[in-house]
């Protein structure tokens, strides 16, 4: 009979961080300005980014704007505003507008690209490990999640899925950082239940699947085949001898 670990054993196990991480959530997100935006520590930039993405999603998905039309309308509006502002400044002796030469620093793009590159390599490495079967439980979970995502993709456009991912990226790290203890407690309980279920499946289903012969069985089969072959040769030689005598 299969032997399972008791619930008391699981409860005495030390609590681990979600996804087995050892670093704080800010360090996992790359630190710097990217982490400030995702964790809403820089509330102005985070709010502006969220509002801007929401407006773009509304214009493209609800108002059904095309990208070229929206870009042209925004450019026309910006040029008209600058033209009226500069003309009014010359007529009424106002201070002319100061046009910034750059809005975002080069370091911001380098930091974002570096963080994206690091996260992408980690995700690809984890995907390869799971696909190779190094983590069987995560393999079945990944298959299930990808199937659910494929079903969702039939009912949502790519823009809706992209906006949903952005909303999750803007909210989940912040909520996890705020309620880290509660999330890890519930996630630990769920992980233990999944491991227990997988052990039951391994004992009741996977362990009963017939496997190939081991090294000891292979040697025994080889010995039996050699004996049968030698017996066949003896019988053949005896038969040939009697046939020549006749």
């Amino acid at each position: 009979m299969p032997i399972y670990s008791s619930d008391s054993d699981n409860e005495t196990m030390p609590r681990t961080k979600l996804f087995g991480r050892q670093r704080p959530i800010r360090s996992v997100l790359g630190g710097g300005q990217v982490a400030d935006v995702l964790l809403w520590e820089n509330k102005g930039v985070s709010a502006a980014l969220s509002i801007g993405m929401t407006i773009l999603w509304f214009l493209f998905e609800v108002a059904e704007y095309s990208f070229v039309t929206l870009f042209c309308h925004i450019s026309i509006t910006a040029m008209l505003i600058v033209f009226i502002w500069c003309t009014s400044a010359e007529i009424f002796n106002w201070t002319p507008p100061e046009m910034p030469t750059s809005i975002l620093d080069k370091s911001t793009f380098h930091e974002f690209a570096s963080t994206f590159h690091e996260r992408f390599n980690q995700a690809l490495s984890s995907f390869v490990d799971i696909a190779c079967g190094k983590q069987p439980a995560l393999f079945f979970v990944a298959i299930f999640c990808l199937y659910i995502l494929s079903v969702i993709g039939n009912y949502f456009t790519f823009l809706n899925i992209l906006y949903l991912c952005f909303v999750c990226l803007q909210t989940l790290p912040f909520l996890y950082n705020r309620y880290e203890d509660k999330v890890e407690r519930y996630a630990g309980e769920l992980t233990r239940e999944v491991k227990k279920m997988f052990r039951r499946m391994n004992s009741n289903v996977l362990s009963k699947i017939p496997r190939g012969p081991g090294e000891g069985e292979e040697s025994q089969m080889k010995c039996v085949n050699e004996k049968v072959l030698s017996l066949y040769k003896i019988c053949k030689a005896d038969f040939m001898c009697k046939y020549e005598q006749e």
Side-chain angles (χ1 to χ4, degrees):
M1 294 180 63
I3 300 175
Y4 307 111
S5 61
S6 62
D7 294 337
S8 60
D9 294 337
N10 291 331
E11 291 175 356
T12 57
M13 292 176 60
R15 183 181 300 177
T16 58
K17 297 291 185 180
L18 194 62
F19 303 116
R21 64 181 180 85
Q22 302 296 330
R23 299 179 296 171
I25 184 65
R26 178 180 175 81
S27 178
V28 173
L29 295 175
Q33 297 181 3
V34 176
D36 292 342
V37 172
L38 296 180
L39 296 177
W40 286 77
E41 295 180 0
N42 192 343
K43 294 182 174 57
V45 177
S46 300
L49 185 61
S50 300
I51 293 173
M53 291 297 295
T54 302
I55 292 175
L56 289 177
W57 172 81
F58 177 82
L59 292 175
F60 284 124
E61 191 65 25
V62 180
E64 296 183 353
Y65 258 93
S66 65
F67 177 78
V68 176
T69 303
L70 179 63
F71 176 78
C72 292
H73 286 178
I74 292 177
S75 300
I76 291 172
T77 304
M79 292 178 66
L80 288 175
I81 292 174
V82 173
F83 175 78
I84 294 173
W85 193 352
C86 293
T87 305
S88 301
E90 293 179 357
I91 295 175
F92 299 101
N93 293 325
W94 293 345
T95 303
E98 296 181 359
M99 299 300 171
T101 56
S102 62
I103 298 177
L104 296 177
D105 297 333
K106 185 184 295 184
S107 61
T108 304
F109 288 99
H110 284 296
E111 183 180 354
F112 177 79
S114 176
T115 303
F116 176 79
H117 178 263
E118 183 181 356
R119 297 286 89 79
F120 180 80
N121 285 339
Q122 290 178 356
L124 183 61
S125 177
S126 300
F127 176 80
V128 172
D129 291 341
I130 294 173
C132 291
K134 295 181 179 180
Q135 304 181 37
L138 288 180
F139 177 80
F140 292 104
V141 172
I143 294 295
F144 177 76
C145 292
L146 289 175
Y147 175 75
I148 295 299
L149 185 61
S150 66
V151 174
I152 294 175
N154 293 327
Y155 300 96
F156 294 91
T157 62
F158 176 74
L159 183 60
N160 283 331
I161 296 178
L162 188 63
Y163 179 70
L164 180 62
C165 292
F166 171 78
V167 172
C168 293
L169 192 62
Q170 280 289 94
T171 55
L172 294 182
F174 169 74
L175 294 176
Y176 173 72
N177 187 48
R178 188 169 183 178
Y179 305 102
E180 183 174 355
D181 294 335
K182 295 181 180 179
V183 172
E184 288 180 353
R185 184 172 66 251
Y186 291 126
E189 295 176 358
L190 179 61
T191 302
R192 286 192 293 269
E193 292 297 328
V194 171
K195 288 182 178 179
K196 288 168 61 178
M197 182 179 64
F198 179 75
R199 284 197 297 267
R200 293 191 185 97
M201 183 179 67
N202 186 30
S203 299
N204 298 329
V205 180
L206 299 180
S207 61
K208 296 181 180 180
I209 297 177
R211 303 178 183 272
E215 295 182 356
E217 295 179 355
E218 288 181 355
S219 60
Q220 292 179 2
M221 291 294 296
K222 185 177 180 181
C223 182
V224 171
N225 291 334
E226 290 178 354
K227 291 181 179 179
V228 172
L229 183 60
S230 60
L231 182 61
Y232 169 75
K233 291 180 178 179
I234 294 174
C235 294
K236 182 179 179 181
D238 188 22
F239 175 77
M240 294 297 296
C241 182
K242 292 182 179 180
Y243 179 78
E244 290 177 357
Q245 290 178 359
E246 292 178 357

